[in-house]
Amino acid sequence: MNYKLRRRLYSQNFLRNRELIRKLIRRASIGKKDLVLEIGPGYGVITQELLEVVGKVIAVERDPALHKQLLNKFRFAKNLKLHNGDFLDFPLPNHPYKVFANIPFAITSDIFKKLTGYTNLSEAYLIVQKEAAFKFIGMPYDIKNTMMATLLKPWFEIDILWKFEINDFIPKPSVSIVMMRVKRINNPIIPENERGLFRDFIIYSYSRFKVAHIVFEKWIERFNYFKRVSGE
């Protein structure tokens, strides 16, 4: 499958600069002790650099033809496991792992929700559209906190690690692209057993009131007040 056809089907642009990929991997907190998941490896450019740095790579490629090429290209790689299929149907590791991936833009939200919905993800480095990154991060990168950003803030630190140039990709994207870093908070301000209650509280608040301007610290105050008055 050529670049243009894959771009049309999966909304995916491929990094072309190997030195830039190496630089981004060096900036990431990944190493020989880490299991790293790559989503949509494509032609294996990022995969090849990851194999030099991390302990083990699990790469999930949807395109059967590309998966076959990857099997041949990395037939001697001892620390790589390749899977052919849709990542959204792929069972996540049942022990701590990290992610480094240039993900298909068309399913960014679905991928992000899947990764952050389970507890074994420790850190992720995702190449995404800037608009999508702001949706997940909210303030201070954006002028508001989306409901998704507010739901994530108790458990994840999310920021922008890198801003790309359009010439970094094949084909050239028509939108701004960034690398987003997502790091799980070891001691979250809201206990895990209150996660469902916090989610219900935030969803209700966003559905009833204009609250996107509220900073996260105020949300914690509101949530604690809600628990006191409701007896939760």
Side-chain angles (χ1 to χ4, degrees), residues 67-97:
H67 177 256
K68 186 176 180 179
Q69 290 182 36
L70 292 168
L71 285 173
N72 181 62
K73 180 176 183 178
F74 297 112
R75 60 190 180 278
F76 299 118
K78 302 294 186 182
N79 59 335
L80 172 64
K81 191 169 185 179
L82 285 164
H83 292 269
N84 180 214
D86 190 336
F87 171 74
L88 299 179
D89 298 323
F90 179 76
L92 295 174
N94 57 11
H95 50 282
Y97 69 95

Side-chain angles (χ1 to χ4, degrees), residues 3 5 19 43 45 49 51 75 81 98 124 130 140 142 167-168 188 194 200 205-206 215 218 225 227 230:
Y3 288 119
L5 179 57
E19 183 52 44
Y43 295 88
V45 180
E49 302 304 328
L51 291 172
R75 60 190 180 278
K81 191 169 185 179
K98 298 180 180 180
K130 184 176 75 171
D142 203 356
N167 291 327
D168 292 331
E194 293 183 357
D200 291 345
S205 298
Y206 270 84
V215 297
K218 291 295 183 183
Y225 175 76
K227 288 192 297 180
S230 63

